[in-house]
Amino acid sequence: MSSFFSIPGAHKKRKRDNDGPASKRPARPRPAKPKAAPKKRVERDEEISGSDSESGLAEDEDVEVSGSESDEDDRDETAAQKRLRLATQYLSRVREEVEATGWDAEQIDKDMIAARLEDDVAESKGKVFRHVASEIDLDSRPTMFRDNTHTVTSVALCSPFIYLVTKDSQLIKYRLQPPPNEQYKQTTRKKPKRQAPPRKRPQRLALVKGRHTKASDRNFKGHVGQILCVAASDDGKYVVTGGDDKRIVVWDSNLKPLKVFTHHRDTVTGLVFRRNSHQMYSCSKDRTIRVWNCDALAFVESLFGHADSALDVDALALERLVSVGARDRTVRLWKVADETQLVFRASSGTGDKKKQIDLGVDPNSLAATGSLDRVAYIDESYFITGSDNGCISLWTLSKKKPLDTIVRAHGLEDPLLPSEASSEEHPSTKVVPPPQPRGITSLRALPYSDLILSGSTDGFIGAYTVPIRVWKFDEKEKKLQSVGILGQPQKEIAIHGIADEISPDEMDISNEDETQDHAGDAGGASAAAVEPYQIKGVVNDIAIISRGKPGNNETFTVVCAVGKEHRLGRWGSDIKGAKNGAVVFELQKRSRK
């Protein structure tokens, strides 16, 4: 043992080197050669399998060549580069297969990937990305539905449900009917039978009514006065109402009350949910904007700044909201997260007076802006307002003044009779005051699109014109353009000149049981000009949603809250033939020829 440890290492190594024949006895080190061979074989097998997966060749010679080349390349490239190379080869092979079959790969990518990405990016950045105003067919016959209620003051849409509120403290829930092409689907291979006309009237699901006798009961979960506004979250989980009883009531989807807030000190005039969120904003005549969290059923904060009643509020996806302050004639954009606000002041709203007078307009009819009553977001950068002098203005965050203003958007009121303007027995026509513009009572835009709707007391819903008018936002020219009137074939109307007064015969809107075809009365004569459908009453609110996937089968549902009176007062009650209820328009895209 001692001699073994005393032998130097050099002698031991020399002994191993000089031991030629003795090294044959331990045969363990020699299997090094057989081990090297299997190692090469494994590498070669890996190379062969890799070449098969990449090139698909089965011949041994080609496999050896490709294997040796890939081995040299693998030594130089990293794992990330290798993944990139394999992905590039895969995409090139797929592209070759698509081209061989005759498909348009670029079109497929555009439809399936690019379009969705562009829409998502545009919506996240708050940019207008949908141009649908010029593609919609406005010639849609409306359907009116109503219950035994007082004036309908507001409407909210959460597909497929409609929520209406009235001045007699009623909250009513309806279900929209499916589109006509989905109501009667063919389920068998037999010859299709003649189908019944599609159902149009919404179905009433639930009704909740407040109690005025509970005004002194603080524990009563409901309204004790008129309900003036309603809003619904995008997922339909919460419905919120507010009224002149200074209360905000939060309901679940089954109209069961969850919470009552009494933080406002005056009438609650507007409610809106932030998109894809349960954060809610309210405005009131106490000149404040308040922020709420419906998930926690809690009050968050108050926003101060308006010098007069805050009459309307709107919001989109970002944590911002825009509100109007009635007779302080300001529009305020609130950045809730930054705790800042931008103030925009309305102009006179009379347009170019000299030009208007040259066109024959009475100077006394050019009323200046007295109150900003309505506001609606187009996207995160643009919004519109409506005033009591009939002006619709387009605003942007980068300018303090409106980009464009449409004067007398819904025309002038009917002139008074001499007997109505004077108490004399035989009054002169000189005592009749000049007619005044019709105020904007409702305003709504389809979010992130160029479609805008407005309503007034003339019975039309504009896009642009007189009951409900339809407008188009031109993003390039930064202007509002006329599209037409709901219920009338599309037609361009001059918006900067004198709006032609449309005086259709007094007619009621069709109910579901009314006959829809009156062409038999013509008797072979040439068809007369189609008259717009007139909504009798004050259009107090408008709601619009799109149903179906974007494309030719997409439909747009417009619901209008109509009443005999204005939502904030008793004026407008002298409209002949006015009814309390709501009107539904189902708009479809025009077929491309």
Coordinates of all heavy atoms in Angstrom, one line a residue, residues 184-196:
Y184 N -88.2 32.4 -39.3 CA -88.8 31.2 -39.9 C -87.7 30.5 -40.7 O -87.6 30.7 -41.9 CB -90.0 31.5 -40.7 CG -91.1 32.3 -40.0 CD1 -91.3 33.6 -40.3 CD2 -91.9 31.7 -39.1 CE1 -92.2 34.4 -39.7 CE2 -92.9 32.4 -38.5 CZ -93.1 33.8 -38.7 OH -94.0 34.5 -38.1
K185 N -87.0 29.7 -40.0 CA -85.9 28.9 -40.7 C -86.4 27.6 -41.2 O -87.2 26.9 -40.6 CB -84.7 28.7 -39.8 CG -84.0 30.0 -39.4 CD -82.7 29.7 -38.6 CE -82.0 31.0 -38.3 NZ -80.7 30.7 -37.5
Q186 N -86.0 27.2 -42.4 CA -86.4 26.0 -43.0 C -85.6 24.8 -42.4 O -84.4 24.8 -42.5 CB -86.1 26.0 -44.5 CG -86.6 24.7 -45.3 CD -88.1 24.6 -45.3 OE1 -88.8 25.7 -45.1 NE2 -88.6 23.5 -45.6
T187 N -86.3 23.9 -41.7 CA -85.7 22.8 -41.0 C -85.8 21.5 -41.7 O -85.2 20.5 -41.2 CB -86.3 22.7 -39.6 OG1 -87.7 22.5 -39.7 CG2 -86.0 23.9 -38.8
T188 N -86.6 21.4 -42.8 CA -86.7 20.1 -43.5 C -86.3 20.4 -45.0 O -86.2 21.5 -45.4 CB -88.2 19.6 -43.4 OG1 -89.0 20.6 -44.0 CG2 -88.6 19.4 -41.9
R189 N -86.3 19.3 -45.7 CA -85.9 19.3 -47.1 C -87.2 19.4 -48.0 O -87.1 19.5 -49.2 CB -85.1 18.1 -47.5 CG -83.8 18.0 -46.8 CD -83.0 16.8 -47.3 NE -81.7 16.7 -46.7 CZ -80.8 15.7 -46.9 NH1 -81.1 14.8 -47.8 NH2 -79.7 15.7 -46.3
K190 N -88.3 19.5 -47.4 CA -89.5 19.6 -48.1 C -89.7 20.9 -48.8 O -88.9 21.9 -48.4 CB -90.7 19.3 -47.3 CG -90.8 17.9 -46.7 CD -92.0 17.7 -45.8 CE -92.0 16.3 -45.3 NZ -93.3 16.1 -44.4
K191 N -90.6 21.0 -49.7 CA -90.8 22.3 -50.3 C -91.3 23.3 -49.3 O -92.3 23.1 -48.5 CB -91.9 22.2 -51.4 CG -92.1 23.4 -52.2 CD -93.1 23.2 -53.3 CE -93.3 24.5 -54.1 NZ -94.3 24.3 -55.2
P192 N -90.6 24.5 -49.2 CA -91.0 25.4 -48.1 C -92.4 26.0 -48.3 O -92.9 26.2 -49.5 CB -90.0 26.6 -48.2 CG -89.5 26.4 -49.6 CD -89.5 25.0 -50.0
K193 N -93.2 26.0 -47.2 CA -94.5 26.6 -47.3 C -94.5 28.1 -47.2 O -93.5 28.7 -46.9 CB -95.4 26.0 -46.1 CG -95.5 24.5 -46.1 CD -96.3 24.0 -45.0 CE -96.5 22.5 -45.0 NZ -97.3 22.1 -43.8
R194 N -95.7 28.6 -47.5 CA -95.8 30.1 -47.5 C -95.7 30.5 -46.0 O -96.5 30.1 -45.2 CB -97.1 30.5 -48.1 CG -97.3 32.0 -48.2 CD -98.6 32.4 -48.9 NE -98.8 33.8 -49.0 CZ -99.8 34.4 -49.5 NH1 -100.8 33.6 -50.0 NH2 -99.9 35.7 -49.6
Q195 N -94.8 31.4 -45.8 CA -94.6 31.9 -44.4 C -95.4 33.0 -44.0 O -95.8 33.9 -44.9 CB -93.1 32.2 -44.2 CG -92.1 31.0 -44.4 CD -90.7 31.5 -44.3 OE1 -90.4 32.6 -44.2 NE2 -89.8 30.5 -44.3
A196 N -95.7 33.1 -42.8 CA -96.4 34.3 -42.2 C -95.5 35.5 -42.2 O -94.3 35.4 -42.2 CB -96.9 34.0 -40.8

